[in-house]
Amino acid sequence: MDPKKISHPAIVELDGAYWFQEKSEESFPGQRFCLEVDEILHHSHSEFQDILIFKSKTFGNVLVLNGIIQCTEKDEFAYQELITHTAIMSHEKPSNVLVIGGGDCGVVRELVKHLDRGVDTITMVEIDDMVIKLSAQYLPHMAKFHDHPRVNIVIDDGFKFLRENKSKFDVIITDSSDPEGPAEEFFRTSYFELLSNALSPNGVVIMQSSENVWLNIDKLKELVSSSRHVFENVKYCQCYMPSYTSGQLGLIVATHNTSLNLTQPLRTFAADEEKKLFQYYSASVHQAAFVLPRWAADINEVDT
């Protein structure tokens, strides 16, 4: 391996191999997650962020934004499926769907499965079109529907779009990066209020929460509490993701519909249909994702 081709601030040489190391003193101090690098496929700075794509030894191609892993070919389906189908299957008729972020187009891929199964329109708002273009090149299985004729991709700032938006959406999926750089604003009450204004009366929102119960549970509780200042019905679920620090990622699901049990899918597919459509998600996984260990269960037990 030519050392000149393996050059990035987050990649170090150790014992004759090159390792990408993910570290964040703010989000997960005192620990690092590493993947062995076979080859750097792309590295650049867009207008908004540092973009790194590398081929790993065991996880396939990996997309990294601002030093934080966004997805890997090995396990991306787990996150993409849970964040998409948990929200979609919690709505009786999720006709009009909005995705904020999601430049790798994995959520769009999952939403396309629901076209003519309840979903009629899909709009994705991504601030950095370079992420979309690079995902189409290096993560084609994820971004295979980036040019689907029934998917409307808008290159714009998510906040700006929501402020100017006049439409109402049945489901809004916030597939943002961790709260560093351009994604920081997605973790504040003002953003939850914009989401609320864009929702139809029984609409459902879902957003990655950045934290899981093992990393910073106090910060997680604060985020859930902020959501509850805006939405009457809020729940937290988690996804198993080996390429994310601590092996898990949390999602916050919210609605103004107090009669809706977010922990139970409102719609289901037959078992054989689930097997054809999904690798990770199922009606059973939907329910189990909201079951937290005893010491963390009060995240979902707060009286809303």
Side-chain angles (χ1 to χ4, degrees), residues 31-251:
Q31 59 183 300
R32 298 181 182 185
F33 177 75
C34 295
L35 287 176
E36 187 174 352
V37 179
D38 268 354
E39 178 186 1
I40 289 182
L41 301 173
H42 178 90
H43 179 225
S44 64
H45 294 270
S46 73
E47 181 183 352
F48 304 99
Q49 56 204 335
D50 180 272
I51 304 175
L52 169 68
I53 301 174
F54 67 89
K55 180 182 178 183
S56 71
K57 190 177 184 68
T58 54
F59 278 70
N61 291 354
V62 181
L63 171 64
V64 179
L65 299 180
N66 291 330
I68 303 298
I69 292 174
Q70 303 303 302
C71 55
T72 80
E73 288 184 307
K74 178 178 181 177
D75 64 358
E76 54 84 12
F77 65 89
Y79 168 78
Q80 311 295 346
E81 289 189 16
L82 197 68
I83 195 173
T84 303
H85 308 308
T86 300
I88 292 295
M89 302 303 275
S90 293
H91 197 286
E92 184 176 14
K93 180 64 171 70
S95 176
N96 196 12
V97 181
L98 173 66
V99 183
I100 301 291
D104 54 45
C105 297
V107 167
V108 164
R109 180 194 65 200
E110 296 304 312
L111 286 171
V112 166
K113 297 175 182 178
H114 293 275
L115 286 173
D116 302 322
R117 298 172 184 259
V119 172
D120 297 322
T121 66
I122 301 168
T123 301
M124 186 183 90
V125 182
E126 166 62 46
I127 195 171
D128 195 342
D129 65 340
M130 188 178 290
V131 175
I132 299 173
K133 293 173 183 176
L134 291 171
S135 295
Q137 181 177 357
Y138 295 107
L139 298 163
H141 180 65
M142 292 184 67
K144 62 182 180 180
F145 294 131
H146 73 282
D147 55 357
H148 193 284
R150 293 177 64 182
V151 175
N152 177 31
I153 293 183
V154 179
I155 305 303
D156 200 355
D157 175 78
F159 263 79
K160 177 176 176 288
F161 178 89
L162 287 172
R163 288 191 190 103
E164 298 173 355
N165 166 68
K166 303 299 181 184
S167 300
K168 296 293 183 181
F169 297 92
D170 302 305
V171 171
I172 303 178
I173 300 170
T174 296
D175 182 18
S176 69
S177 306
D178 285 349
E180 299 177 10
E184 186 174 0
E185 293 295 322
F186 293 127
F187 296 83
R188 295 180 178 171
T189 302
S190 57
Y191 180 66
F192 302 148
E193 291 171 344
L194 288 174
L195 291 175
S196 175
N197 292 337
L199 269 186
S200 60
N202 291 315
V204 176
V205 303
I206 190 166
M207 63 202 84
Q208 77 100 340
S209 73
S210 173
E211 299 295 347
N212 66 60
V213 298
W214 294 104
L215 288 177
N216 189 339
I217 196 168
D218 291 334
K219 184 176 180 179
L220 174 58
K221 289 180 177 180
E222 180 182 337
L223 189 59
V224 172
S225 178
S226 296
S227 304
R228 288 187 168 123
H229 285 305
V230 178
F231 296 99
E232 290 85 352
N233 185 358
V234 178
K235 294 293 182 182
Y236 170 87
C237 64
Q238 55 189 5
C239 178
Y240 296 110
M241 287 292 294
S243 64
Y244 290 165
T245 305
S246 295
Q248 293 179 345
L249 185 79
L251 304 170

Side-chain angles (χ1 to χ4, degrees), residues 224-283:
V224 172
S225 178
S226 296
S227 304
R228 288 187 168 123
H229 285 305
V230 178
F231 296 99
E232 290 85 352
N233 185 358
V234 178
K235 294 293 182 182
Y236 170 87
C237 64
Q238 55 189 5
C239 178
Y240 296 110
M241 287 292 294
S243 64
Y244 290 165
T245 305
S246 295
Q248 293 179 345
L249 185 79
L251 304 170
I252 292 175
V253 195
T255 179
H256 290 298
N257 184 352
T258 57
S259 65
L260 182 61
N261 183 356
L262 293 167
T263 70
Q264 303 284 332
L266 194 61
R267 297 180 300 118
T268 59
F269 294 126
D272 60 338
E273 193 70 4
E274 281 189 343
K275 189 173 182 180
K276 286 191 295 185
L277 290 171
F278 312 129
Q279 296 183 75
Y280 187 92
Y281 179 86
S282 68

